[in-house]
Every structure is written in C-alpha cells, then in structure tokens.
Amino acid sequence: MATEKTSEELLRGQAEIWQHMFSFANSMALKCAVELRIADIIHSHGGTPITLSQIASCIDNSPSPDIPYLARIMRLLVRKNIFTVHHQLSEGSGSESTLYGLTHVSRWLLHDSDLSLAPMIVIGNHPWTVAPWHCFSTFVKEGGTSAFEKAHGRDVWDFASQNPEFNNMFNDGMACTTRIITRAIMTGYKDGFGCIRSLVDVGGGTGTMVAEIVKSHLHIKATNFGLPHVITTAPLIDGVCHVGGDMFKEIPKADAVFMKWILHDWSDEDCVKILRNCRKAIPAKSGKVTIVEIVLQPDGNGTFDEIGLVFDLLMMAHTSGGKERTELQWKKLLEEGGFPRYKIISIPALLSIIEAYPE
C-alpha cells in the first residue's frame, strides 16, 4: 500500500509540474481572446451563446479566420471557465451546434466596460513586460537594480519615457485597474474624503482616480501629481489641476495625500523618502496619507492572497527594489517615514487602504 501511495503521489507531482511548466499557455490564450475581442463579440449578440462561425465572422481585419485554430483555443478557455460551451440540436435536421457564451470571468474582458481588465492583460503579457521574468535566475545569482533593466538595459520608467507605445499601453493598463479599484474604494472608504478640502494624488497617472474622487466630493480641490511625460497625456478634468514633478524632491501641499499602487514600486529606503515628503506636504496635526496597496498575507486563504504573492514577483520583475509588504513591514516603513499611527481598512478588492497619521 505504501508503495502504491508513493507511486500515486509521484504521478500527481509529475502532473502538477506539467501544469506549472505550461501555465503560461493560459495567459497566452487569454491574451488571444482579448486581442480578438471574443467576449465583446458574444456580448454584442445580447450575451446569448453563439457559434464559432458567428464569432469568426465578427473578428476585425480577418477575411478568412481559421475556425479550427479558434476552436482549439476556445476549448482551453472553456476548460478554464473563461467561456461556457453548449451543445444544441437543431430542429428538423438533427445536427448539433456548439455555442459559446460568457461567464462571470469573461465579463472582465469586455473592452468598453467600466470593469474591464482587458488593457492590463495586453500589457501584462506583452513581450516587453514578459522578458524580465526570463532574467530571474540571473537576477538572483548576480543581483542588480531590476530584472527589467537586465532585459532592456534601462529601468521601466526610463523605458516608458522613451517608448510612446509602451507608455500608452502602460497608462491604459493602470487606468483600467484604477477604475476597478476606484469602485471598491468608493464602496469601502465612503467617509475617507469627507473632512478634507484639498487632496494631492501622488503618481496619479492620467487622473482617473482623482477624477472619481472629485466627482463624488465636489468640495475637494484636487491635484494630480506625476512625472511630466505622464502628465502631458492627461485629459482636462473639472476640479483637478495636473502638476508634473518628482515625488522624491517635493510633493504639493494639501490637507491629505493619496497614493494608489505607488510605494510597492520602490525599495524601503525610497519609500521612506516619499513618506517624509508626504509628511512635509500635509498639516502637522490634521493631515493624513491614504495609501492603497496590497497587504500581504503569505499564509492566508483569502480571495486575493495568492495573487498578492504573484504581484510581489511582478515587482521584482519590473521595478528597482519594489515589493509587496506585510502589515509589519508597512508599520516599519510608516514609522520611519514619520507616521507613527495607522489603521488598515479592508475594501472589496486586491488592495487594502492604509490610513496613516503624523501624530
């Protein structure tokens, strides 16, 4: 019996290694579905299941799509619960049709939805962003500033500033995740903006987040503060002033500082510098910093706990010293940055809110 059990465990282990080895196939098939807009095509038919021929006929710039190839990709995506499959007998002829429909997962692939991860899937699986992952073993052996720099010869911010295509894809990816996180923030942090008159969103990209804040809180005078090459692409937003600058040098004055998915890009030393500049930017007694980040639970079983660990490796791939952090690590950073008090507020999202106070 012991021998049989060992043999079964070895077999399961082999199967798991195969799955891990080719897990990239899932993300590549997902990327294909986004690029072909398969979810959008099904959605345009009222969301009711349709045939492969109907899907293929609606693929842009494709006069003769290969339906057998499409069928093989869809078969894996159905297995992964991205789409549904239904087999239906046609009345009279007795022939069977195969119909594909949407699931609660594929609805996150719709390009025109406010809740879409499609742009993030495109940038996350682009050869430019995947290349640094291939440098992990070299990075571990030799160290260095970032895996991204080993792959491309420059850090991600320099790369973006000199590559408009990458910069636009990156901004689109950040904007789509911001819309999703914004909804969670507005649901779980309703009273967080009520008592402040002025707010600066540090590293706010093209202003998606701060636009939603001022829309719901008309009394707030808001500043979207970021790198000049990002700010130049930001649209005009009522109630928002776009300001280009360097958060390592100075942050505009305000009652409160807001930072979403900023500090995880930087080393502990850099985070302390940013936090100290935040401390200088706000009133000594009444000011606060609202930080929206992952709070790692390495042994947790929550909905997003495992993806938090994946994001930690993503930081290793794309940033110079960036990381996701546990509560104890956040506590240490905040204290060194001039914020001895804090509280963590859970919201329905991958991220949590860390509200920090200078006194």
Side-chain angles (χ1 to χ4, degrees):
M1 288 295 293
T3 303
E4 288 182 10
K5 183 177 180 181
T6 301
S7 180
E8 289 175 4
E9 289 175 345
L10 282 172
L11 195 61
R12 284 198 302 272
Q14 181 193 156
E16 289 180 22
I17 289 297
W18 283 111
Q19 289 169 356
H20 292 313
M21 187 189 312
F22 290 108
S23 60
F24 69 88
N26 298 331
S27 58
M28 291 299 106
L30 188 63
K31 177 173 179 276
C32 174
V34 168
E35 291 174 335
L36 297 179
R37 292 179 173 256
I38 293 173
D40 298 275
I41 291 170
I42 298 173
H43 184 69
S44 71
H45 285 74
T48 57
I50 60 176
T51 66
L52 279 179
S53 295
Q54 288 175 297
I55 293 172
S57 68
C58 296
I59 295 174
D60 289 340
N61 304 314
S62 180
S64 56
D66 193 305
I67 293 180
Y69 282 165
L70 179 60
R72 290 160 68 181
I73 291 168
M74 291 298 287
R75 182 168 58 189
L76 177 62
L77 292 173
V78 166
R79 174 82 179 190
K80 293 299 179 180
N81 197 36
I82 307 298
F83 297 102
T84 62
V85 65
H86 309 272
H87 302 288
Q88 178 177 291
L89 285 175
S90 301
E91 293 183 9
S93 66
S95 61
E96 186 178 76
S97 298
T98 302
L99 306 175
Y100 295 89
L102 301 176
T103 68
H104 66 285
V105 179
S106 49
R107 294 185 184 278
W108 289 91
L109 308 182
L110 298 172
H111 284 75
D112 296 328
S113 170
D114 286 339
L115 299 179
S116 175
L117 282 169
M120 194 65 175
I121 292 167
V122 172
I123 184 66
N125 292 285
H126 193 281
W128 285 329
T129 50
V130 170
W133 293 82
H134 292 281
C135 299
F136 271 15
S137 57
T138 302
F139 194 41
V140 169
K141 290 177 183 177
E142 301 175 359
T145 54
S146 73
F148 194 96
E149 191 164 337
K150 284 190 179 296
H152 297 295
R154 65 190 75 173
D155 68 31
V156 65
W157 314 115
D158 189 27
F159 190 84
S161 69
Q162 299 183 38
N163 187 323
E165 182 183 356
F166 177 81
N167 188 52
N168 289 335
M169 283 195 299
F170 183 86
N171 287 340
D172 287 345
M174 292 300 99
C176 86
T177 56
T178 293
R179 284 190 290 271
I180 294 166
I181 297 301
T182 297
R183 179 168 294 194
I185 291 171
M186 293 308 180
T187 300
Y189 194 56
K190 293 178 182 178
D191 301 325
F193 303 106
C195 297
I196 59 176
R197 294 166 299 173
S198 59
L199 175 76
V200 56
D201 185 355
V202 175
T206 54
T208 304
M209 178 73 228
V210 77
E212 290 300 317
I213 294 173
V214 298
K215 189 187 298 183
S216 301
H217 302 82
L218 299 177
H219 66 282
I220 293 178
K221 180 181 177 182
T223 299
N224 180 43
F225 179 67
L227 292 171
H229 76 268
V230 176
I231 292 299
T232 56
T233 66
L236 292 174
I237 303 171
D238 288 341
V240 176
C241 176
H242 296 295
V243 176
D246 185 346
M247 63 187 173
F248 289 102
K249 294 180 180 177
E250 187 178 23
I251 291 171
K253 303 287 185 182
D255 292 337
V257 171
F258 183 90
M259 290 188 289
K260 178 188 66 64
W261 250 345
I262 299 300
L263 297 182
H264 76 159
D265 288 332
W266 302 97
S267 67
D268 291 351
E269 182 181 2
D270 285 335
C271 285
V272 169
K273 291 178 184 177
I274 296 167
L275 286 169
R276 287 177 178 170
N277 283 338
C278 290
R279 178 68 182 80
K280 295 174 185 176
I282 61 175
K285 294 185 177 181
S286 60
K288 70 176 179 179
V289 172
T290 299
I291 300 165
V292 186
E293 293 276 2
I294 290 173
V295 179
L296 280 182
Q297 302 281 349
D299 300 319
N301 295 312
T303 304
F304 295 107
D305 285 340
E306 184 172 338
I307 195 66
L309 300 178
V310 174
F311 264 84
D312 186 43
L313 295 189
L314 181 65
M315 294 303 99
M316 193 166 78
H318 292 165
T319 69
S320 301
K323 64 179 78 170
E324 304 299 349
R325 296 173 171 92
T326 64
E327 181 176 350
L328 286 177
Q329 289 173 315
W330 281 117
K331 182 176 184 293
K332 184 174 184 293
L333 277 188
L334 291 170
E335 288 176 347
E336 292 180 7
F339 295 90
R341 290 197 304 118
Y342 73 93
K343 66 179 177 180
I344 295 176
I345 303 167
S346 296
I347 57 174
L350 168 63
L351 311 183
S352 296
I353 291 174
I354 306 169
E355 201 173 67
Y357 321 98
E359 290 186 3

